[in-house]
Amino acid sequence: MLDIACVIDPRFAGGTAAALAYDIDAFLATGLRVGLAEVHSSYLDGAPDARSRIATALYEDRRIERLDPSDGHPIKARTVFLHHPMTFFYGIRTPLRLQADKVFLVAHHLPFRGDGSLQYDPAATARRVARATGARTQWLPVSGLCRQQLRSFTPFIRLAPLDWPNVFSLDSWTPRRQAFSGNRLMIGRHGRADPLKWPDTAAGIAASLPDLPNCGIRVMGCPRADLERLGADLSDWTVLDFDSEPVPHFLDGLDVFVYHFHPASSESFGRTVAEAMLMGAVCVLDPRLAPTFGDLALYGHPQDTAGIIETLRRDPAAARARADRARAAIAQRHSLDAVPARLDALHAAGPAEPGPRYASPMAVLRKTAGMIRRGEYFPSHLATRR
């Protein structure tokens, strides 16, 4: 009997894989026995077929017991964490039999897109998890916004009483330089090379990373072909491949981290933003991230970015103080040390408290009907979409 079993599609890169890796580090640090099972879902069939860099490191970590869902034996653990709901909404290829005291589905992804349409149905996802694993799952939101959206599907899903926000090992996220301390500002961002992580027009892309006097632009992870197809001019940017250098090192060179994304997309948490804050950059963000980061960042639409940066540059001491305050807050809220107590609380807590819903039951029905019309609902349709 394992203490913890974690389940993920190993092709995940970026925030989902990083969140899992840090959770496992915290579990191992407290002496828990941890296993890792890899599953494959048609959700990632358009991604490279090999394990991501993070998944490879986990697979090769001899402290972690590798679990093979195809061997016919059930996975026995006190607690099982299933990662990313789209994996199970699209369906996994090999059934995964679970015997566990508690099974949690970590909701790294919001059910509603930025335009309000549904991208997965949590109630259907819960049923598909039950068919594939034999277990009933509780949903673990990674943020308050995620919890509010998932409440729209209760009582047809079971919502865990606590959130499960991303955590960080602070030793790995210590800046060596101070933002706004040099004569030339560096503006940038990083993340998976996904066009949904970017504005949807050339003007929005250019405004989000403005070409300002005595400033540079550095980007790590960029869907260059997609952005150029929109007409974006990237000639003045320094563009690095995703994960081509350690993320802390990349972020340590930025004064301002900017993140605007596609109007049809959504962010359940925004791990890249928290990473930038931990490395001391001032964050200028899409207003849709305000429920997660509150007064730790500055908000505006792409066309507002240049003015915000110029205001920051006029008072570098205030900009540095803002960055220091954000770093301290993220370090306090998202420390790796919080994970063991949070795990104990999950096992001890009662039912989730009621609260505001993102959408009414009637709105959910309409949006579900829209998914069915678009051919985005049934596994047989989803398997052909990638």
Side-chain angles (χ1 to χ4, degrees), residues 43 86 109-120 149 194-201 230 259-268 286 288 301 358 367 374 376:
Y43 174 60
M86 295 293 271
H109 212 60
L110 296 174
F112 293 95
R113 296 187 179 96
D115 62 5
S117 63
L118 270 179
Q119 50 193 338
Y120 68 89
Q149 289 203 8
D194 183 343
L196 289 177
K197 301 286 186 181
W198 292 80
D200 63 340
T201 66
L230 290 172
Y259 187 49
H260 298 100
F261 51 98
H262 198 286
S265 187
S266 56
E267 286 286 349
S268 188
D286 189 301
R288 288 174 287 173
H301 299 289
Y358 176 84
K367 292 175 186 297
R374 295 190 302 270
E376 296 178 350

Side-chain angles (χ1 to χ4, degrees), residues 215-257:
C215 289
I217 298 172
R218 282 174 58 85
V219 174
M220 187 165 73
C222 175
R224 182 186 286 273
D226 295 284
L227 302 191
E228 290 178 338
R229 196 175 298 119
L230 290 172
D233 180 6
L234 317 185
S235 59
D236 291 331
W237 298 6
T238 298
V239 178
L240 307 176
D241 290 340
F242 179 64
D243 269 355
S244 60
E245 63 180 62
V247 175
H249 180 268
F250 173 81
L251 291 173
D252 204 24
L254 300 184
D255 299 284
V256 180
F257 180 91

Side-chain angles (χ1 to χ4, degrees), residues 130-163:
R131 285 199 295 270
T133 70
R136 293 184 66 203
T137 188
Q138 294 186 56
W139 287 73
L140 268 183
V142 297
S143 68
L145 174 61
C146 186
R147 177 172 292 275
Q148 186 179 37
Q149 289 203 8
L150 288 172
R151 278 199 195 104
S152 304
F153 301 87
T154 56
F156 302 106
I157 65 170
R158 295 194 303 159
L159 199 54
L162 304 175
D163 292 346

Side-chain angles (χ1 to χ4, degrees), residues 4-46:
I4 304 286
C6 297
V7 180
I8 193 171
D9 189 318
R11 295 170 293 175
F12 270 111
T16 297
L20 167 67
Y22 278 109
D23 284 353
I24 288 178
D25 275 349
F27 298 145
L28 292 171
T30 55
L32 296 177
R33 187 178 167 208
V34 180
L36 178 66
E38 298 182 341
V39 295
H40 281 75
S41 166
S42 60
Y43 174 60
L44 289 182
D45 281 355

Side-chain angles (χ1 to χ4, degrees), residues 46-59:
D49 203 40
R51 292 185 182 94
S52 68
R53 177 185 59 82
I54 296 173
T56 298
L58 290 173
Y59 184 80

